[in-house]
Amino acid sequence: MFEQLGLIGCGLMGGSFALAMKKAGLVKRVVGYSKSPSTTDRARQLGVIDVEAPSALLAIKHLVTPQMLIMDVGSTKSDVVQAAQRSLRDQVGSFVPAHPITGREVSGVEHAEADLYSGRQVILTPTERT
């Protein structure tokens, strides 16, 4: 079991991942951040996250260790990889971009579901430092 899951982006994809981890009993606490404070607040109200984080990667940079895994499940990669490289610098080796082959025709944390990833494939797109 993981003590904590840090979730950056509390919408459909991130919210579904958090719900799956909770349903499987794999995480004790989920800390979440979204660009929109209303999304983060809604995720907390729905029980997707337990605690709201004040910021994203910059706030955790000093906490990242080689034993930690940071994954991305968004659809685009270049902007996310560049942001991770800028923010994480020496710790960027803990970052693994990924693209799950799943989704829904709707978006938002209201539509997150614990089984969204069940039986789905995930394409890993590691960087040269991963």
Side-chain angles (χ1 to χ4, degrees), residues 13 72-77 80 98-100:
M13 302 301 281
D72 157 59
V73 296
S75 59
T76 63
K77 292 291 158 252
V80 173
H99 185 78

Side-chain angles (χ1 to χ4, degrees), residues 19 45 86:
L19 288 174
Q45 291 171 4
R86 277 192 314 273

Side-chain angles (χ1 to χ4, degrees), residues 3-7 10 14 17-19 21-22 27-32 47-52:
E3 290 294 319
Q4 181 168 289
L5 167 66
L7 184 64
C10 299
F17 184 79
L19 288 174
M21 293 288 285
K22 285 182 165 193
V27 66
K28 290 184 181 177
R29 178 173 106 142
V30 178
V31 178
V48 172
I49 65 171
D50 302 305
V51 179
E52 297 176 32

Side-chain angles (χ1 to χ4, degrees), residues 8 57 64-66 68-73 76-85 88 91-98 125-130:
I8 301 171
L57 287 172
V64 178
T65 68
M68 186 179 290
L69 178 62
I70 302 171
M71 292 190 72
D72 157 59
V73 296
T76 63
K77 292 291 158 252
S78 62
D79 290 348
V80 173
V81 170
Q82 289 173 11
Q85 289 171 333
L88 297 173
Q91 295 96 334
V92 76
S94 293
F95 177 68
V96 180
T125 56
T127 68
E128 64 279 356
R129 300 227 9 236
T130 298

Side-chain angles (χ1 to χ4, degrees), residues 6-19 30-44 46 48-53 107-112:
L7 184 64
I8 301 171
C10 299
L12 173 67
M13 302 301 281
S16 294
F17 184 79
L19 288 174
V30 178
V31 178
Y33 170 82
S34 285
K35 277 195 298 188
S36 167
S38 62
T39 299
T40 310
D41 187 53
R42 185 74 177 129
R44 189 184 45 72
L46 293 169
V48 172
I49 65 171
D50 302 305
V51 179
E52 297 176 32
S107 62
V109 67
E110 304 80 26
H111 304 288

